[in-house]
Amino acid sequence: VFNMFRGLVGSKSLTKEDMAPAMNKMQDHLIAKNVARDIAEKLCDSVSTKLEGKVMGTLSRVTSVIREGIEESLVQILSPRRRIDILRDAMEARSRGKPYSMVFCGVNGVGKSTNLAKICFWLVENGFSVLIAACDTFRAGAVEQLRTHTSHLNALHPAEKHDGRSPVQLYEKGYGKDAAGIAMEAIKYARDCHFDVVLIDTAGRMQDNEPLMRALSKLIKINQPELVLFVGEALVGNEAVDQLTKFNRALADHSDMDQPRLIDGIVLTKFDTIDDKVGAAISMTYTTGQPIVFVGTGQTYRDLRKLNVKAVVKALLKA
Amino acid sequence: MVLADLGRKITSALKSLSNATIIDEDVLNSMLSEVCRALLEADVNIRLVKQLRENVKSVIDFEEMAGGLNKRKMIQTAVFKELVKLIDPGVKAWTPLKGKPNIIMFVGLQGSGKTTTCTKLAYHFQKKGWKSCLICADTFRAGAFDQLKQNATKARIPFYGSYTEVDPVLLAADGVEKFKNEGFEIIIVDTSGRHKQEDSLFEEMLQVSNAVNPDNVVFVMDASIGQACEAQSRAFKEKVDVASVIITKLDGHAKGGGALSAVAATKSPVIFIGTGEHIDDFEQFKTKPFVSKLLGMGDIEGLIDK
Ligand SMILES: Nc1nc2c(ncn2[C@@H]2O[C@H](COP(=O)(O)OP(=O)(O)OP(=O)(O)O)[C@@H](O)[C@H]2O)c(=O)[nH]1
Ligand SMILES: Nc1nc2c(ncn2[C@@H]2O[C@H](COP(=O)(O)OP(=O)(O)OP(=O)(O)O)[C@@H](O)[C@H]2O)c(=O)[nH]1
Ligand SMILES: [Mg+2]
Ligand SMILES: [Mg+2]
């Protein structure tokens, strides 16, 4: 009989103690959804603090008040404070006769090259010509991978439909060369040959690998691309936080500039492989405050989406 | 070392037992919270972590037990046992037979490190005098054959694959047939990355497996994976006969706890770990020594047999 009244709070103000049991459950729930442990804890703490002292109606349940509080926070974390409008910016660059360049970076195997190819497809569909710069000069097959994508993309968009010129071209100098230098040549080549956009693929690297992180900073510093995209996979657990923090820190530390270029946005890949364990989206945006610009949802060119904040929050809260 | 951070945290949590004058439920709970926190930060599956907590608690009955030393010992042993359970599936690792074709098929999620690790494994055996070779049965990923070819060429390992054939089942079968006839001992088949949500990819994996009849199916897992690992690993195991796990990318910061969930889900031991992109960034993995090294407490291992 008394069970019926569990979780009911009379008309009194809410204390952290009232919330603790349900909040702990919420924290475990978020961790199970693959939110990084540390971030799940911070998130629950901040919602606790916000709700503390709130006067509750006789019939409201602590659990639902908490749920609403968490939901609101999740929406806020995922909602971009800054819009990135690539099509508009690329159009603007075109009108100034300057190619719009984007760098793709991230740890090994997360989907940089594949999602670069998907974004290339999307740009071509929107009427842009694209130069792909093969700046992963390390991993076996990296250049051939991009060459294959280039020819597939051109087959989908034959030259006849694009003023007699193939809309996609690959700029490559084989293996072993300095990536920053190739990127620079590619941007110059794009300007000379009137390509609208340059997509710069880079080698995967671990965030703790000093020499490789230094090399990436150099590439970004000397080329000043319009957009630096961090590619991270939705499969990643607690590492998401460390990856983003350290990529940003490396870009800041090695740049010797007052206002270094940091990560501008995130590409969240392999979203089709995680069911409702969508927590990496929270870990990544919470850590950087930067928006998720694209979501990769499969291995074909059309598997690219914008983040659906509502759907992600719903999946996170689903029992 | 891999998971070293986790080891340190658990060791320090267990030390809190020795420091406490009386061991009551509060001491146990706070120690367990610390252990679980460390495990969750290392991405160990949350269900396994909760289970660990329950299992340890169920061993200890504060009402009935007297004597601090006994309690301490029992708690430490229980925690240790549970940790071993996470890493040790209790089956012996597969070993190849000399003078026979040993067919090893690699499977795993997209980008986990299969192609890179295939070459590492072939090279490992080749260095030890086994006749090793590689087969590329990934006809999907752009540049997959070039990748394997470049890796194999650099390591002087014979390989088989095609730029034109689109059927991975056929390729795998032809390659195995060819290398068997040529007397190869370690025949490694690389396959495309796949995930449980796409049935056709899983069906393809089964067909490749049926065609080559592997002696060992190796599941390759990225050390940075989080809570999605368990469901994926289980699905792979349900489709093909996974018998070994390799955890890659342990040269990074990741502690690999998520990937360890693959051990429980596939009931297969970790046989090697990958620690870099180069061909010899590869270490054999032995479960038992690892666990005692990890916890830096060989003395506790002794307790288990009592
Ligand atoms: N299911 C799924 N697979 C993806 C997605 N994006 C990429 N992949 C796959 O992930 C694997 C790795 O992709 P790549 O693009 O080569 O990754 P990368 O980051 O460039 O890898 P490195 O250059 O080696 O560091 C490939 O098999 C891709 O097909 C996605 O959104 N969903
Ligand atoms: N740092 C590091 N990188 C690794 C390790 N193992 C593999 N990689 C890198 O991870 C990326 C993906 O490796 P692949 O071997 O292409 O992965 P895969 O599983 O064959 O990928 P798909 O065939 O697309 O599913 C590459 O950049 C590899 O160099 C490792 O142990 N450490
Ligand atoms: Mg790549
Ligand atoms: Mg591969």
Side-chain angles (χ1 to χ4, degrees), chain A residues 257-273:
Chain A
M257 285 188 302
D258 287 341
Q259 284 195 306
R261 287 299 306 278
L262 302 178
I263 290 164
D264 299 308
I266 296 164
V267 182
L268 183 63
T269 64
K270 308 187 189 174
F271 207 71
D272 51 323
T273 68

Side-chain angles (χ1 to χ4, degrees), chain B residues 30-263:
Chain B
S30 96
M31 185 276 293
L32 277 177
S33 295
E34 247 182 276
V35 170
C36 292
R37 193 186 163 105
L39 291 171
L40 288 175
E41 262 161 17
D43 287 314
V44 175
N45 186 274
I46 190 162
R47 278 203 305 109
L48 296 177
V49 175
K50 282 184 176 161
Q51 221 167 61
L52 181 145
R53 185 198 287 263
E54 292 315 309
N55 289 353
V56 172
K57 278 187 145 174
S58 72
V59 170
I60 317 296
D61 185 343
F62 284 98
E63 311 267 290
E64 287 198 350
M65 270 172 20
L69 188 69
N70 187 29
K71 264 185 261 180
R72 223 176 298 233
K73 223 170 169 182
M74 280 182 78
I75 294 171
Q76 288 182 333
T77 308
V79 172
F80 186 79
K81 259 189 183 162
E82 292 297 318
L83 289 169
V84 171
K85 245 176 28 195
L86 282 181
I87 303 174
D88 186 359
V91 293
K92 261 191 76 182
W94 175 84
T95 46
L97 293 172
K98 203 77 188 148
K100 255 201 56 189
N102 296 276
I103 296 151
I104 307 171
M105 175 176 164
F106 272 55
V107 300
L109 291 167
Q110 289 90 349
S112 58
K114 295 174 293 302
T115 307
T116 310
T117 309
C118 270
T119 322
K120 288 179 177 179
L121 189 67
Y123 184 70
H124 166 90
F125 280 115
Q126 182 169 279
K127 267 194 314 195
K128 293 184 149 187
W130 297 69
K131 222 180 150 196
S132 311
C133 62
L134 289 163
I135 297 167
C136 174
D138 180 357
T139 54
F140 177 79
R141 157 135 175 219
F145 183 39
D146 286 296
Q147 184 184 5
L148 183 135
K149 190 172 166 178
Q150 287 169 19
N151 281 337
T153 308
K154 209 164 148 199
R156 299 169 182 280
I157 298 162
F159 62 92
Y160 180 83
S162 161
Y163 286 114
T164 48
E165 177 54 60
V166 293
D167 182 359
V169 181
L170 211 71
L171 266 178
D174 285 356
V176 167
E177 173 79 14
K178 169 184 142 77
F179 285 128
K180 256 185 176 170
N181 292 337
E182 292 172 10
F184 278 84
E185 295 168 299
I186 301 290
I187 304 177
I188 300 178
V189 182
D190 184 23
T191 64
S192 304
R194 63 195 83 237
H195 54 292
K196 72 179 175 73
Q197 289 82 355
E198 215 170 315
D199 291 339
S200 60
L201 294 179
F202 259 49
E203 203 46 46
E204 177 195 281
M205 169 169 75
L206 178 62
Q207 286 174 20
V208 173
S209 177
N210 287 341
V212 303
N213 194 17
D215 300 289
N216 184 16
V217 176
V218 177
F219 183 58
V220 180
M221 240 319 137
D222 184 322
S224 75
I225 194 167
Q227 298 291 330
C229 179
E230 202 209 4
Q232 291 289 355
S233 319
R234 180 164 306 133
F236 273 85
K237 175 74 175 186
E238 277 165 12
K239 202 73 184 179
V240 291
D241 190 16
V242 172
S244 316
V245 174
I246 294 181
I247 302 181
T248 62
K249 309 185 198 177
L250 275 163
D251 48 321
H253 171 269
K255 299 180 187 69
L260 285 181
S261 315
V263 171

Side-chain angles (χ1 to χ4, degrees), chain A residues 83-137:
Chain A
R83 288 222 97 75
I84 294 181
D85 190 338
I86 294 173
L87 294 180
R88 184 197 60 200
D89 293 349
M91 201 100 78
E92 206 258 335
R94 174 157 64 186
S95 70
R96 287 187 290 125
K98 188 180 181 295
Y100 180 89
S101 58
M102 291 158 69
V103 169
F104 292 75
C105 63
V107 301
N108 303 87
V110 289
K112 295 175 291 299
S113 310
T114 307
N115 287 280
L116 176 150
K118 294 184 205 170
I119 290 167
C120 181
F121 176 73
W122 171 72
L123 287 165
V124 171
E125 295 261 294
N126 281 282
F128 292 98
S129 60
V130 182
L131 186 70
I132 298 178
C135 298
D136 178 354
T137 64

